[in-house]
Amino acid sequence: MKKLLSTILALALLTLCMPCAFAEDTQRSETEKVLSSVLERIPDTSAYKKFEANRFESENGRISFNFSWYNEDEGDSASMYVTALADGTVLGFSVYGGEKDYTPATDKISTDAALVKARELVKKLNPGVSEKFVVENNEDYDSLYTNE
């Protein structure tokens, strides 16, 4: 009788653990699928020594992924961050060179040239939605580093 009860309890515990393991495998697979899609559209990541991936689900059920590539060396703190939806749509993309130079740039491009580059980046990161994306020049914005 004890053997039967032990077997039943072991099976019950095993059954309870299976959905967690299945969900974790599903989430890992989903993360890998989105990462693969993102890697096709971003610059090479081989210069970075560390990588992290996180999956988030908002209260309304929207799933997003944060991917981070970075270096932690004292002389090299370069990093790249990407936030994407489950369908691969990139919501955020940033690259930091790691140098801490806060002096104003003297070789800046014009606003119109920057808008062209922004359109090209959107087409590369999100080809499916690039035609719906609007990039505009907001002349009301003032900056200490404007092109004068």
Side-chain angles (χ1 to χ4, degrees), residues 18-64:
M18 284 176 57
C20 295
F22 178 71
E24 189 174 309
D25 287 343
T26 301
Q27 288 178 1
R28 185 176 298 120
S29 173
E30 185 179 31
T31 301
E32 289 171 357
K33 178 183 167 193
V34 174
L35 176 61
S36 176
S37 170
V38 166
L39 284 171
E40 293 174 0
R41 296 174 277 147
I42 64 171
D44 182 34
T45 60
S46 63
Y48 303 102
K49 296 176 182 147
K50 301 208 176 216
F51 171 73
E52 290 181 7
N54 295 296
R55 179 187 185 277
F56 299 96
E57 186 168 351
S58 67
E59 292 176 7
N60 64 0
R62 181 174 165 180
I63 296 171
S64 63

Side-chain angles (χ1 to χ4, degrees), residues 57-73:
E57 186 168 351
S58 67
E59 292 176 7
N60 64 0
R62 181 174 165 180
I63 296 171
S64 63
F65 300 86
N66 288 344
F67 301 111
S68 306
W69 294 265
Y70 58 95
N71 296 326
E72 289 183 326
D73 298 338

Side-chain angles (χ1 to χ4, degrees), residues 106-117:
T106 57
D107 58 345
K108 295 192 301 183
I109 62 174
S110 70
T111 303
D112 291 334
L115 289 172
V116 169
K117 285 187 163 219

